[in-house]
Each structure stands twice: as structure tokens, then as C-alpha cells.
Amino acid sequence: MAGGFAVSSSGAEFEAKITPIVIISCIMAATGGLMFGYDVGVSGGVTSMPEFLKKFFPVVYRKTTAKHLESNYCKYDNQGLQLFTSSLYLAGLTATFFASYTTRKLGRRLTMLIAGVFFIIGTIFNAAAENLAMLIIGRILLGCGVGFANQAVPVFLSEIAPTRIRGGLNILFQLNVTIGILFANLVNYGTAKIKGGWGWRLSLGLAGIPACLLTIGALLVVDTPNSLIERGHLEKGKEVLRKIRGTDNVEPEFNELVEASRIAKEVKHPFRNLLKRKNRPQLIIAVALQIFQQFTGINAIMFYAPVLFNTLGFAGDASLYSAVITGAVNVLSTVVSIYSVDKVGRRMLLLEAGVQMFLSQVVIAIILGLKLSDNSDNLGKGYAILVVVMVCTFVSSFAWSWGPLGWLIPSETFPLETRSAGQSVTVCVNLLFTFVIAQAFLSMLCHFKFGIFLFFSGWVLVMSFFVLFLLPETKNIPIEEMTERVWKQHWLWKRFMDDDDDHNNVVKVGDKINNGAY
């Protein structure tokens, strides 16, 4: 195991080794991302399976099998079909508020366990569904699991990891999301070939594998020292801190955690406290990152990859095969992020990816605009391959930037007193806009046609300027030292910190005058 020190702005050195318990705990916790990714990937695959459509969405089935179409872009334009995908995210949005309470009061570990139970029950409902109501109930239960897992796992990973590798370990969550998507695409590719009309059940039922992994992982991992100390278990917190840091010299870090916990306990209303001036920069950035992450267009592609490729004129097997390719690119590119995020920094990855995503989407829009008419049966082999290449170019840049960093940056910037509430808002906004995109994409594709990619590329341009001017670098900054070393050093956000400090100083001086000190 490697050794090293994390340096705080106060001058204290936090001794921290990269211990097996940290690695194992992070891997187990990150399986929450595996479940999330599988749910994202599997929905697009099953909604392109004729047997699934025939049973639950006969109107769409008739449209996709019709010889003459009103528009090639409108094959799957159906609100009910979109609701099947988007209901998960609407449920997750609601569940995250309850998850904020359990994360704070019951701990990160127990919240992950609750998520695992929701995932298991939801999987059973989906795999056994005989009607649309049962199918949607299953998706809602899975959404509750997503809300709890996405609330607890990023916070758990940020708190348990040593500072110098916090970014890489946190991205394990996003890596598992991409592995889950790839796993779902591979499963869909296989089950689509099963005759007898039950392949979709196997696709939905295999979600039980990551669901069980998360549940077992939550039973085996230890809770974070931050959470234990926050809930008053000081000795237990110190004991866990020794284990995960691999040293007995944890007093400086322990004292800082205790002090952060003391400040946090003074905050009676964490959600109200989020609106205070000193917390506004973190809140603005967290909300903006979640909105921008969804408006890159990534979920439109990952949710509906097989459907999208079918729409673009690919044959059934070819569309699923193309979805597998993009899933594999997604996984490999996320590994790049794990390696580079703590070396080159968050900002550099986001800015480079902005250029790559913008260009790839513009190229896709041009190809589709010139070569795919409303009623064409096929895009043409050469252009179809080029579209897949451009989609992979887009997916790869997202996977090493906005995908993992959209979760990492908010989880490491909120102070302890607002961390749970801040993560709740982060997850809530993410799921809200994920729901919006999931519910609207097929209709947008029908009406915008190839212009949908120009719509998303315009947003990529906007978010890149946001990163350039307003997002500070958080690489290698201890999580409890963000205020002093990040926000108070930024050209814009320091005004919020300085004003707040000046206000506090005025109050303190006023109190001393009233008490006769001057």
C-alpha cells in the first residue's frame, strides 16, 4: 500500500496511506453506479424489442412495423414509451429528499442499504410485469433506489478517500455507471435474439445482479468517519479513521473533522442554510453542473441508443451492436478520467471535452441533415459508420469529463454542515433534468430532426464558457479546506465569502461594544 500526506491550509499534515479497506469500500459502494447504469442502458434496449412493444406499447409497435412512415424521425414518438424511461428519474427526484435525511441522521452506509432493497424489489416487479401499471411501479421503485444511491454514494466516496486520490476514487461511481450501461447493452444484444417473446424479461431481471451487489456491499463496508463523528460516535469515528488511513497518527485530521461537525450541528436547517450568501457559490455551481450535464445530450444518446440507431436507418442487430460499441467507449474513457482527474485537474478535462463534444455533434447534424430524409430507409453504410464514430467521439469526451465530474465536484465542495442537503439538491436537479430529457427526447427528435444535435451542441458551447470563467479548480484541495483555498481565492466567488466574513466581523465588534469591551 502506498503512503503519503495530505496537507491542509492550516499547515497540518494529514498522514494517509492508500489502504486495502479504502479501495474495497469504494469499489463496493460504487456498485450503486453499476445499478444506475444498468437501468439507464437497459431501457433503450427493451424499448426497441418488438415483443416488448407489442405487449406494452402496441401503438408504437404498429408504427415501427408499418411499411410507410410519415417521418423516419418519428417512429418512437410516444409519451407512454417515454414515461417508461423517465418515471424512474421522477421517482428518484422525490426519493432524494428522504435520502438526504437518512444520509445525515442514519449514515451513508444505511442509506446505500436502503437503495439496494429498493433496487431488488423494483427489479422483481419489472421482470414479472404483466401490464403497464406493474411495469411503471417497478420503474418507480428503481427510481427510489437511484435517489438513495446517488445521494449517499458520491458523499461516501469523497469522505472515505485520501485527498490526493479523492477524484479518482470518486469516479469509480461513474465508472460503474458506464460498466452498467455496457452490461445492459450486451444483455440486450443477446436477449433480442431469444425467440418466444421473453427476452425483455431477462434483460429487466438481470438488474438483480448489481442490485444484490450493492446490498451486500452496503452490509460489509464501514461508515465514513465524517458520518460517525457527525452523529456523535467520536471514538468509533477515530477508530475507523485509523483503519482507513492506515496509521495511528490521525489526531490532526480527527480534530478538524470534529470541529467541522461542531459547526455543522449549529446549523438547524441545512436546506435553508444553503441559501446563505457564503454557500451560494457552491449551490450555483452544483445546480449548473447538473443542468449542463443533461443538456450535453448524453442521456438522450445513452437512454435511446438502439432506438436512435434504428431511427437513423440501422437494422435491428446493427443498432444494438452500435449501442454496445458506444457503451464500451464509455467505459474505457471513464478509466482515462480516473487516471487523469487528479493529475491534470477538473477544469482542463471539462474544457477539452467541450471542444470535442461540440465538434462531434455539429458533424452528426450535418451528416443527418444532408443524407437522411424523413422517409429514407437507410443512411448508407459509409455515413452510418461515420455517425457511429462521431457518437463514440462525443461519448468518450463526456465520459472523461462531464459524466464523472458532474458528480465529483459538488460532492467535494459543500462544507459538512450543508453537504447532505447540497448533495440532495445536486441529485434532485440532476434527476429533474434527466426526467425532462428522457420524457422529451423522442418528441424532440421527431420535431427537430437532425437539429436536435445542433440544439445540444449550442448548450455545450454555453457550459464551456461557464467552466472557463466561473468554475474554480478543486484538485488536491482537502475537502474541509475548500472555503479558504478555493472560494476565497476566486475572482468572483470571493466576494460572497469576504462579504460574509465582513458581516460577521461587524457583528462581533458590535457585540463587544455592547458588552463594554471598547
Side-chain angles (χ1 to χ4, degrees), residues 334-408:
T334 305
V335 174
V336 172
S337 184
I338 291 175
Y339 176 77
S340 59
V341 67
D342 290 314
K343 291 181 172 61
V344 304
R346 285 65 161 152
R347 276 169 49 85
M348 183 61 69
L349 288 176
L350 292 170
L351 290 171
E352 184 281 330
V355 176
Q356 193 171 323
M357 288 191 293
F358 177 79
L359 293 177
S360 59
Q361 293 206 64
V362 169
V363 171
I364 292 171
I366 291 172
I367 294 172
L368 299 186
L370 295 176
K371 298 297 178 180
L372 186 70
S373 65
D374 274 4
N375 303 107
S376 63
D377 293 326
N378 203 296
L379 188 61
K381 185 176 180 181
Y383 288 109
I385 292 173
L386 184 55
V387 167
V388 173
V389 170
M390 287 295 101
V391 168
C392 288
T393 302
F394 169 80
V395 169
S396 65
S397 57
F398 176 88
W400 65 55
S401 62
W402 284 94
L405 300 183
W407 293 109
L408 169 62

Side-chain angles (χ1 to χ4, degrees), residues 107-122:
R108 288 52 162 157
R109 175 177 170 271
L110 188 57
T111 302
M112 290 188 290
L113 181 61
I114 295 170
V117 173
F118 271 122
F119 281 139
I120 290 172
I121 299 173

Side-chain angles (χ1 to χ4, degrees), residues 16 80 84 108-109 124 138 154 225 249 329 343 390 407 467 477 480:
F84 164 69
R108 288 52 162 157
R109 175 177 170 271
I124 293 171
N249 183 27
V329 169
K343 291 181 172 61
M390 287 295 101
W407 293 109
V467 171
I477 307 294
E480 305 301 344

Side-chain angles (χ1 to χ4, degrees), residues 101-236:
Y101 176 84
T102 61
T103 302
R104 189 173 67 255
K105 295 295 185 181
L106 304 180
R108 288 52 162 157
R109 175 177 170 271
L110 188 57
T111 302
M112 290 188 290
L113 181 61
I114 295 170
V117 173
F118 271 122
F119 281 139
I120 290 172
I121 299 173
T123 298
I124 293 171
F125 266 82
N126 268 358
E130 288 296 334
N131 52 59
L132 185 58
M134 195 171 177
L135 193 69
I136 297 298
I137 289 171
R139 292 290 287 179
I140 289 172
L141 290 169
L142 290 174
C144 292
V146 166
F148 277 82
N150 285 16
Q151 169 73 20
V153 172
V155 173
F156 178 93
L157 294 173
S158 286
E159 291 180 344
I160 206 167
T163 299
R164 68 188 183 282
I165 61 166
R166 184 179 65 238
L169 286 182
N170 194 286
I171 292 174
L172 281 175
F173 178 76
Q174 182 65 22
L175 177 64
N176 274 273
V177 171
T178 62
I179 292 173
I181 293 171
L182 176 59
F183 180 40
N185 288 337
L186 289 169
V187 168
N188 288 334
Y189 183 71
T191 58
K193 299 177 181 296
I194 296 176
K195 299 187 184 300
W198 57 273
W200 63 269
R201 290 191 188 276
L202 184 58
S203 285
L204 296 176
L206 285 176
I209 294 175
C212 289
L213 286 176
L214 175 62
T215 306
I216 294 169
L219 289 170
L220 296 178
V221 300
V222 295
D223 216 336
T224 68
N226 311 59
S227 178
L228 290 166
I229 292 168
E230 185 181 20
R231 290 180 287 131
H233 307 301
L234 299 184
E235 288 305 314
K236 180 66 175 176

Side-chain angles (χ1 to χ4, degrees), residues 8-10 14 108 158-159 163 166 225-227 253-261 263-264 411-419 477-485:
S8 78
S9 63
S10 59
F14 299 157
R108 288 52 162 157
S158 286
E159 291 180 344
T163 299
R166 184 179 65 238
N226 311 59
S227 178
E253 186 174 4
F254 175 75
N255 290 337
E256 190 152 312
L257 292 176
V258 170
E259 176 61 17
S261 176
I263 295 171
S411 73
E412 65 184 3
T413 52
F414 283 106
L416 183 61
E417 62 265 24
T418 59
R419 189 169 302 151
I477 307 294
I479 202 167
E480 305 301 344
E481 303 292 342
M482 290 290 173
T483 299
E484 293 295 330
R485 298 178 58 179

Side-chain angles (χ1 to χ4, degrees), residues 287-482:
V287 170
L289 288 180
Q290 301 317 303
I291 296 173
F292 290 151
Q293 188 193 66
Q294 298 312 307
F295 277 89
T296 59
I298 185 63
N299 279 337
I301 290 175
M302 300 314 291
F303 288 163
Y304 300 110
V307 170
L308 177 64
F309 287 124
N310 262 332
T311 298
L312 300 183
F314 289 58
D317 281 354
S319 68
L320 286 168
Y321 189 62
S322 300
V324 170
I325 293 173
T326 58
V329 169
N330 202 11
V331 173
L332 294 174
S333 300
T334 305
V335 174
V336 172
S337 184
I338 291 175
Y339 176 77
S340 59
V341 67
D342 290 314
K343 291 181 172 61
V344 304
R346 285 65 161 152
R347 276 169 49 85
M348 183 61 69
L349 288 176
L350 292 170
L351 290 171
E352 184 281 330
V355 176
Q356 193 171 323
M357 288 191 293
F358 177 79
L359 293 177
S360 59
Q361 293 206 64
V362 169
V363 171
I364 292 171
I366 291 172
I367 294 172
L368 299 186
L370 295 176
K371 298 297 178 180
L372 186 70
S373 65
D374 274 4
N375 303 107
S376 63
D377 293 326
N378 203 296
L379 188 61
K381 185 176 180 181
Y383 288 109
I385 292 173
L386 184 55
V387 167
V388 173
V389 170
M390 287 295 101
V391 168
C392 288
T393 302
F394 169 80
V395 169
S396 65
S397 57
F398 176 88
W400 65 55
S401 62
W402 284 94
L405 300 183
W407 293 109
L408 169 62
I409 294 171
S411 73
E412 65 184 3
T413 52
F414 283 106
L416 183 61
E417 62 265 24
T418 59
R419 189 169 302 151
S420 180
Q423 183 66 14
S424 182
V425 170
T426 298
V427 174
C428 177
V429 173
N430 183 280
L431 293 176
L432 173 62
F433 282 89
T434 304
F435 166 76
V436 169
I437 293 296
Q439 187 63 31
F441 174 68
L442 294 178
S443 298
M444 290 171 69
L445 182 62
C446 178
H447 291 88
F448 285 21
K449 299 180 173 54
F450 65 88
I452 188 71
F453 293 98
L454 295 177
F455 171 81
F456 287 129
S457 66
W459 277 100
V460 170
L461 198 61
V462 171
M463 64 186 70
S464 296
F465 278 106
F466 178 88
V467 171
L468 182 63
F469 293 108
L470 296 177
L471 185 70
E473 181 58 70
T474 56
K475 178 185 72 171
N476 294 332
I477 307 294
I479 202 167
E480 305 301 344
E481 303 292 342
M482 290 290 173

